[in-house]
Amino acid sequence: MSDLRPLVVVDRSLADMSDEVLCQRVADRDEAAFDQLVERYQGRAYRLAWSIVRDAEEARDVSQEAFIRLYQSAGSFGGRARFSTWFYRLLVNLCLDQRRKTRWWRQIFAGSDGAGRPGEDAGESLLDRQPAPATDPLEGMAKERETDRLWAAVGTLSPQQRAVVILQAQEELSTKEIATILKCSEATVRVHLHRALMTLRRTMGNE
Amino acid sequence: MDSRHPETELIAYLKDELPPRSRETVARHLEGCAECRGTLADFRTLLAGVAAAPAPTPAWPRYRAELRVRLESEAGRRRWSWWRRPFPVAVSAGLAAAVLALVIVAPSVWRNERTARNVEGLNGFEEVVLGTRLDLLRQYPVVERLDMLEDLDVIRQLDGLEARREG
C-alpha cells in the first residue's frame, strides 16, 4: 500500500502562488512548484484528456505527457496568455495527435473504442478508483442513464467539437481562449460549438 | 422581430460575448421566437449535463508516482541523447581517429614519395652529365697523378694530349 501514500507535500506558500508564478519557478527547475501545478491541474487535465480520447489508459498517458512537456518547456511560457490556456493548448494538441495516431487501429478493432462507461476504468482495479466528484448533481438511475446517453452522444462528436464542448462546459473558457488552444479563429470555435450542441440535441432526442 | 434565426450568435449570446447592440438584437429575437428560446434552453441543459457528467478518476498518488518515474526516465534519456550514447561515441571516435591519421600521415607519405622521385630524377641527371664527360674519365689515371694547382696547363690540354697520342 506504500504506493498509495501521498508523494507530494505541498508547501503552503506555494499553494498561494498564481499558476503563472509557479510556471516561472518550474522553468527554474523548482520541483515543488511543479508538484503544486500537477496537484492543481491533474483532475482537469485527466478529465479533459479522457473527454477527448475516450480511453482511460490513453487519458492517463496523454495527461502525464502534458505534464512532462510542461516541465520541459516551462521556460517557453511567455506569460502573454493565462497559464491554463497555455497548458490546455499543450494538452489538447497531444490529445488530438493521439486521436489521429490511434484512429486507424480503432477502425480495425471497431466495437471496442475503449471508452467504457464513466467510472468503468478498464486499466485500474477497484481499489485504484476514487469516488466520482461529489458535485455530481445527477441522482438516481434515470439520471445515470441520461448521463450515459449524453457521454455516448459526446463520443460521436469529432475530436475538435468534443474539445470545444468540454472546454466550454467544464472549464468555462472564453471563445478567445478556446480559439487560442485549438489554434483557430473565434468564429470557428462558435461554429464548432453550435454544430456540436445541435448534434447532441438531436442525439438526445430533444428535437 | 428579426426573421433570421441567430445560430452562432446564439452561442455568443449564451457565453455573454456579444457587443451590447448585437446582444439586444438577439434578445429581441428570442422574445418573439419560441424555437430559438427552446434551442437556447437545450444548449444550456446540455452544457450543464456535460459539465456535471462524471469522468473516471484515477488514484492520484499512483498517477503522480507514475508521472515522477516518467519524468525521471525522460530526463535520463535527454541526458544520454543519441549522440552521447556508447555506440555513436565509439563510431565518432573511430571516424575522428581515421581523419586525424589521414591528415597527419598522408602528407608525410606523399612527401617521401616525392623525395624518392626527386632522387631518382637527380641520379638520372648526373648520369647524363657523366656521359658527356666520359672522355675526361678516360684520362683519369693521368689526372690522378697531377698536382691540381701546379699542372693546370696539363689539365687544360688533356683533350689535345689524347688526340696527339692517338695520332
Side-chain angles (χ1 to χ4, degrees):
Chain A
M1 294 299 278
S2 62
D3 62 340
L4 292 178
R5 178 175 52 88
L7 295 174
V8 183
V9 178
V10 174
D11 184 343
R12 281 296 106 202
S13 61
L14 287 174
D16 298 332
M17 285 180 188
S18 70
D19 296 344
E20 289 74 19
V21 171
L22 287 172
C23 188
Q24 278 172 355
R25 293 182 71 151
V26 173
D28 297 333
R29 292 292 170 260
D30 183 336
E31 303 280 331
F34 176 70
D35 289 339
Q36 177 66 37
L37 275 177
V38 172
E39 282 269 314
R40 271 186 206 177
Y41 279 87
Q42 61 190 13
R44 282 178 278 176
Y46 181 84
R47 187 182 169 93
L48 179 58
W50 182 83
S51 302
I52 298 173
V53 300
R54 303 300 309 279
D55 181 277
E57 275 308 304
E58 282 180 26
R60 174 196 290 262
D61 186 53
V62 168
S63 56
Q64 286 177 345
E65 182 65 31
F67 284 118
I68 291 169
R69 300 275 177 99
L70 154 65
Y71 186 82
Q72 289 168 348
S73 56
S76 69
F77 170 62
R80 284 183 296 276
R82 282 201 300 168
F83 168 79
S84 59
T85 309
W86 181 77
F87 178 65
Y88 287 148
R89 181 174 178 165
L90 219 153
L91 175 64
V92 169
N93 282 334
L94 285 169
C95 291
L96 296 178
D97 283 349
Q98 182 72 13
R99 285 292 301 184
R100 276 191 281 272
K101 269 190 273 181
T102 54
R103 193 179 293 150
W104 67 271
W105 66 259
R106 276 176 191 282
Q107 282 168 356
I108 294 171
F109 300 106
S112 66
D113 69 350
R117 279 181 50 182
E120 286 184 357
D121 188 341
E124 294 187 325
S125 69
L126 279 170
L127 278 176
D128 283 340
R129 254 181 270 139
Q130 290 177 345
T135 50
D136 183 4
L138 305 176
E139 288 174 4
M141 283 179 69
K143 285 199 172 178
E144 196 178 312
R145 271 201 301 274
E146 279 299 292
T147 306
D148 288 350
R149 278 186 65 217
L150 179 59
W151 272 113
V154 170
T156 64
L157 300 174
S158 75
Q160 279 84 1
Q161 286 181 354
R162 202 179 306 152
V164 171
V165 168
I166 301 299
L167 290 169
Q168 167 60 44
Q170 294 178 354
E171 301 303 323
E172 294 184 337
L173 298 182
S174 70
T175 302
K176 192 176 178 184
E177 285 172 315
I178 298 175
T180 306
I181 290 168
L182 294 175
K183 288 189 230 165
C184 62
S185 69
E186 292 181 39
T188 306
V189 171
R190 289 196 185 107
V191 169
H192 273 319
L193 189 53
H194 184 262
R195 287 185 183 163
L197 290 173
M198 289 303 276
T199 304
L200 292 180
R201 192 175 182 229
R202 246 190 328 270
T203 313
M204 296 297 287
N206 288 336
E207 193 172 273
Chain B
M1 185 192 83
D2 187 353
S3 60
R4 191 181 60 87
H5 295 294
E7 290 188 342
T8 52
E9 289 101 320
L10 206 56
I11 297 294
Y13 180 85
L14 181 78
K15 287 167 69 76
D16 201 12
E17 289 178 346
L18 283 176
R21 183 172 282 190
S22 307
R23 182 168 180 78
E24 247 173 61
T25 310
V26 174
R28 253 199 320 274
H29 176 91
L30 286 169
E31 277 172 21
C33 181
E35 188 185 335
C36 285
R37 276 203 307 277
T39 304
L40 186 66
D42 285 347
F43 282 2
R44 283 204 171 108
T45 307
L46 286 166
L47 286 172
V50 171
T57 314
W60 296 121
R62 188 169 140 181
Y63 177 92
R64 284 193 297 271
E66 278 176 9
L67 173 61
R68 181 56 62 188
V69 169
R70 283 184 66 178
L71 198 63
E72 278 162 15
S73 79
E74 190 72 22
R77 206 148 56 91
R78 282 163 78 89
R79 225 176 3 254
W80 286 99
S81 47
W82 72 269
W83 53 273
R84 294 174 73 180
R85 288 175 198 162
F87 181 70
V89 165
V91 171
S92 308
L95 274 174
V99 170
L100 200 66
L102 211 65
V103 167
I104 293 169
V105 176
S108 71
V109 168
W110 181 70
R111 227 177 0 250
N112 289 346
E113 205 175 299
R114 206 169 136 195
T115 311
R117 238 184 287 131
N118 285 350
V119 168
E120 263 174 41
L122 200 61
N123 290 343
F125 176 73
E126 279 172 358
E127 277 169 16
V128 170
V129 170
L130 284 174
T132 59
R133 306 301 295 168
L134 269 178
D135 50 340
L136 274 178
L137 285 176
R138 271 189 221 112
Q139 302 299 330
Y140 191 68
V142 179
V143 175
E144 201 178 28
R145 273 181 271 124
L146 292 175
D147 183 340
M148 291 292 280
L149 292 174
E150 289 172 10
D151 299 307
L152 279 175
D153 285 343
V154 180
I155 294 170
R156 279 194 206 104
Q157 301 299 319
L158 273 176
D159 291 344
L161 193 70
E162 182 65 16
R164 247 178 275 138
R165 196 182 290 164
E166 283 174 1

